[in-house]
Amino acid sequence: MSTGMITSAKNMLENTELNKNNNNATMQSDQTITFSDKNKKREVDEKNETIIKVKSVIPRQRQELLKWYGWGYKDSTFKLSDGTTFFTGDRYIISGKSLPHAQQWVKEIFDIDLTIEPRQPKLPSSFPSSRLPNNIKEELEKISLLSTDGVDRLIRAHGQTLHDVYNLRNNSFPRIPDAVIWPTSHDEVEEIVRCASKHKFVIIPFGGGTSVSGAVTCPANEDRPIVVLDTSEMNAILWLDKDQLLANVQAGIVGQDLEREMRLRGFTVGHEPDSYEFSTLGGWVATRASGMKKNTYGNIEDLVVHTKAVTPLGVIQKSCRVPRLSCGPEWEHIVMGSEGCLGVVTEVTLKIRPLPPVVRYGSLVFPDWESGFYFEREVAKQRLQPSSIRLMDNEQFRFGHALKMEQSWGGVLLDGLKRFYITKIRGFDPLKLCVVTLLMEGKAEQVAESEKKLNSIAGQYGGVPGGAKNGEMGYTLTFVIAYVRDLALDYGVVAESFETSVSWERALALCRRTKRAVREQCARRHITHYHISCRLTQTYDAGCCIYFYFGFKTVGFDDPVHVYEQIEQAAREEIIASGGSISHHHGVGKLRKKWYTNTVSEPGRRLLLAAKEALDPDNIFALGNMAFDQYSPAVKSKL
């Protein structure tokens, strides 16, 4: 590991939107939102709290900036031209750069004719008529901004599953929302929910639209009008307590906006999921999200101090702001992970931290997956994890190499020397070696000590330093990988990721068996051109999170998405049989609900439905995620 790069925090994204001056934030000193009803009269000056109005990077008309048919920014995409692959735009570390190894990898793995010009999908011009009655529309318009425009409705009809994107590109959703409404405050959400309860229409909460579980997809058989409650206008920082290191924030704020505003004031939230550029605080709470830097800052359940959520039967919130409360079951955890099926999270009080003075990347190369795995296990045993520590298998390492940028002669020479040392002198097999990427944060002496200890442990398992630049590339490419799927679909490849959590003693067998299950499923369908890889992304005392990436060439299949789903389902069955979970942080949604009851037990399922009856008896939030599709107001007495 190189002594490497020491920077002030956050070089992870070269996103020009994140580098804007403080003119995006304006201050209002005459308003505050206090913690509970009992404290509403507390003076603003007591904590010097002011509302920070946030100018979001993402506009209300999302299609002006973001792709309507896939992931991310419109100006950021993989392009093939004259035998060269490059990534457009200027937001990421590989933007504007040539990727000389990409096409060779694609041809070897998928056997695709890259000379064929892909057909780009066109934004639909016709949409199903809105079912929202005029009287309800007029009532809602008195509360908040409302739209029944077809494009507004289509863009909020889905998340980012492969199935969603395929339906989007083919304009084949069986159901889209009938209207979109943009509340700006908790009080407006309460009014909207009361209106829904009165008129019995459905509400689907919508944040960043990054769900990969089908959670926000409209139920196809829902006959009632569906109104999407878009939280993006609820993105203010209501107060910031620099002494207590807490912030009270509206739940619609996007991750990159939240982090930018905190950094302007010398703080960080530190919650950085792969989707953090586009996902929202409320979405993190609703799915029990995890971030890449959870070792330092915690998962979302570790960051949240208090939530406020609107349900049809009232507002769920605690009456005091304390670090811990022994008061029976923690009802906040009923909301956390509820995936929008019980109500709308409107405000969150969460922990913040001072910006770390030093951020350093690193990487380590191991002779094989097992060596890297046991290194990570030992690091976890000693609780020496840096902010991020991730292990890529050989297949994913080679995929990462395919996205390597064209460099100056000095960079090429350095890479050549490293390659010679690793493969010739150390004897690592290029078809077996694996890489661990590291992100260390803290004071200079803490980072230096962490680096020293990690190097020492790595040596015990045959690991050698791979350099800071490789560590930085490995970390930042996480934000780019999602763009690959759009290019893949353009050229007839379907691809997706899925994840799990598993105990340490079962992890190696789970990875081996899951890959074998995918290969067997491909062989049965005569699929010869496919990619299956995995990486270990988060570590705990009791286990780890494993990500799998799978894609295949679709030639010969009339419904390739269905074929993919069959193969992924077989992989999930193997994961569960090998001791893994149905999800570490993506959530259950509609994609994984068939395994919900077996995961939580029959009493657990009944408890979930009892919560539905207690908070949303008329099924206003009728998303049908987890086991909520089994709930019906007509059978309430049986629960």
Side-chain angles (χ1 to χ4, degrees), residues 157-171:
H158 61 86
Q160 286 290 331
T161 67
L162 176 62
H163 196 92
D164 285 337
V165 173
Y166 197 78
N167 278 342
L168 190 59
R169 285 172 166 244
N170 292 280
N171 193 23

Side-chain angles (χ1 to χ4, degrees), residues 321-335:
R321 187 178 81 211
V322 291
R324 189 175 186 274
L325 181 66
S326 179
C327 187
E330 177 55 272
W331 301 123
E332 203 156 61
H333 285 258
I334 298 295
V335 173

Side-chain angles (χ1 to χ4, degrees), residues 38-318:
K38 293 181 179 180
N39 294 327
K40 282 183 177 178
K41 295 182 179 180
R42 189 177 62 177
E43 294 294 328
V44 173
D45 290 341
E46 179 183 337
K47 291 287 185 181
N48 195 28
E49 296 167 353
T50 53
I51 295 178
I52 302 169
K53 296 286 190 179
V54 177
K55 171 69 173 178
S56 180
V57 166
I58 300 174
R60 184 185 302 131
Q61 301 297 320
R62 297 163 62 88
Q63 66 274 17
E64 295 176 2
L65 180 69
L66 306 181
K67 290 190 190 77
W68 71 268
Y69 60 87
W71 179 267
Y73 296 104
K74 289 197 299 185
D75 62 9
S76 301
T77 187
F78 287 95
K79 290 285 187 182
L80 305 180
S81 178
D82 299 325
T84 302
T85 304
F86 60 97
F87 193 76
T88 62
D90 60 1
R91 301 176 185 275
Y92 301 93
I93 196 169
I94 68 170
S95 295
K97 306 293 195 307
S98 173
L99 309 173
H101 308 286
Q103 293 198 27
Q104 179 183 353
W105 183 86
V106 170
K107 290 176 181 177
E108 288 178 358
I109 301 299
F110 296 111
D111 187 33
I112 293 172
D113 183 359
L114 298 176
T115 63
I116 299 175
E117 188 70 22
R119 185 177 62 182
Q120 295 292 332
K122 292 184 179 180
L123 184 65
S125 56
S126 62
F127 308 91
S129 299
S130 172
R131 305 182 188 183
L132 189 69
N134 284 332
N135 65 312
I136 299 177
K137 179 181 177 182
E138 292 171 1
E139 190 170 335
L140 289 172
E141 286 175 335
K142 294 177 182 178
I143 302 171
S144 306
L145 179 68
L146 181 118
S147 172
T148 55
D149 175 76
V151 175
D152 287 339
R153 293 156 52 210
L154 176 68
I155 286 174
R156 293 161 181 84
H158 61 86
Q160 286 290 331
T161 67
L162 176 62
H163 196 92
D164 285 337
V165 173
Y166 197 78
N167 278 342
L168 190 59
R169 285 172 166 244
N170 292 280
N171 193 23
S172 55
F173 283 111
R175 185 80 160 87
I176 70 171
D178 300 294
V180 181
I181 193 165
W182 289 270
T184 61
S185 67
H186 171 86
D187 290 344
E188 288 183 15
V189 172
E190 284 196 89
E191 289 188 66
I192 294 166
V193 173
R194 281 195 293 268
C195 181
S197 296
K198 180 172 80 173
H199 295 290
K200 301 297 184 289
F201 62 82
V202 172
I203 294 176
I204 295 181
F206 187 92
T210 61
S211 166
V212 288
S213 67
V216 298
T217 307
C218 294
N221 58 353
E222 180 55 69
D223 294 326
R224 294 174 292 175
I226 298 175
V227 175
V228 162
L229 191 154
D230 187 321
T231 62
S232 60
E233 296 293 314
M234 299 186 351
N235 69 336
I237 299 170
L238 301 177
W239 51 257
L240 177 64
D241 192 327
K242 297 180 180 180
D243 295 328
Q244 300 299 319
L245 293 178
L246 295 174
N248 183 235
V249 186
Q250 287 185 310
I253 195 166
V254 173
Q256 62 169 306
D257 291 335
L258 175 60
E259 190 66 10
R260 181 191 65 241
E261 296 300 325
M262 288 295 127
R263 287 176 177 274
L264 287 171
R265 293 158 179 82
F267 299 98
T268 180
V269 174
H271 186 72
E272 210 164 81
D274 297 2
S275 62
Y276 121 106
E277 297 169 275
F278 313 111
S279 56
T280 63
L281 174 58
W284 301 343
V285 171
T287 57
R288 291 182 62 86
S290 177
M292 292 185 287
K293 299 194 290 186
K294 73 94 191 164
N295 295 331
T296 297
Y297 302 98
N299 290 317
I300 194 64
E301 65 269 22
D302 304 308
L303 286 164
V304 169
V305 175
H306 178 273
T307 59
K308 184 184 287 188
V310 178
T311 78
L313 264 66
V315 177
I316 297 182
Q317 65 173 330
K318 290 180 291 202

Side-chain angles (χ1 to χ4, degrees), residues 14 107 145 180 258 310 330 362 380 409 421 435 477 497 520 624:
E14 295 184 356
K107 290 176 181 177
L145 179 68
V180 181
L258 175 60
V310 178
E330 177 55 272
W409 67 269
Y421 172 73
V435 174
L477 281 177
S497 65
E520 289 174 351

Side-chain angles (χ1 to χ4, degrees), residues 297-492:
Y297 302 98
N299 290 317
I300 194 64
E301 65 269 22
D302 304 308
L303 286 164
V304 169
V305 175
H306 178 273
T307 59
K308 184 184 287 188
V310 178
T311 78
L313 264 66
V315 177
I316 297 182
Q317 65 173 330
K318 290 180 291 202
S319 64
C320 55
R321 187 178 81 211
V322 291
R324 189 175 186 274
L325 181 66
S326 179
C327 187
E330 177 55 272
W331 301 123
E332 203 156 61
H333 285 258
I334 298 295
V335 173
M336 198 175 295
S338 61
E339 299 184 353
C341 296
L342 298 176
V344 185
V345 178
T346 58
E347 297 174 17
V348 181
T349 302
L350 71 168
K351 304 170 189 175
I352 60 175
R353 298 279 288 275
L355 279 172
V358 173
V359 173
R360 183 180 297 169
Y361 297 95
S363 64
L364 296 159
V365 184
F366 290 87
D368 50 45
W369 170 259
E370 288 76 14
S371 300
F373 174 84
Y374 287 119
F375 160 76
E376 292 240 12
R377 177 68 187 107
E378 184 60 30
V379 170
K381 277 184 179 179
Q382 298 188 33
R383 293 190 172 179
L384 294 175
Q385 298 102 315
S387 291
S388 175
I389 176 170
R390 299 188 295 175
L391 169 66
M392 295 182 286
D393 71 0
N394 183 261
E395 290 83 3
Q396 194 158 121
F397 165 74
R398 283 185 278 157
F399 168 66
H401 180 75
L403 299 182
K404 197 172 185 180
M405 296 176 290
E406 192 172 37
Q407 299 179 353
S408 67
W409 67 269
V412 173
L413 176 63
L414 183 60
D415 283 348
L417 290 174
K418 285 179 183 174
R419 185 164 55 249
F420 179 80
Y421 172 73
I422 290 170
T423 61
K424 301 300 183 183
I425 297 178
R426 294 302 297 255
F428 289 10
D429 184 343
L431 299 181
K432 291 183 179 180
L433 65 83
C434 297
V435 174
V436 168
T437 59
L438 305 167
L439 172 63
M440 298 159 284
E441 297 181 325
K443 295 179 180 178
E445 58 272 21
Q446 293 172 328
V447 170
E449 182 65 18
S450 174
E451 185 176 36
K452 179 180 177 181
K453 290 179 178 178
L454 291 170
N455 270 331
S456 176
I457 297 172
Q460 298 171 28
Y461 295 92
V464 297
K469 189 64 178 177
N470 286 327
E472 181 187 16
M473 281 290 295
Y475 190 91
T476 57
L477 281 177
T478 299
F479 299 105
V480 177
I481 287 176
Y483 289 90
V484 173
R485 185 178 65 182
D486 294 332
L487 177 69
L489 286 170
D490 289 342
Y491 284 92

Side-chain angles (χ1 to χ4, degrees), residues 18-31:
L18 291 183
N19 295 327
K20 290 185 177 180
N21 294 328
N22 197 8
N23 59 4
N24 278 346
T26 58
M27 310 292 279
Q28 288 188 326
S29 59
D30 58 344
Q31 301 182 60

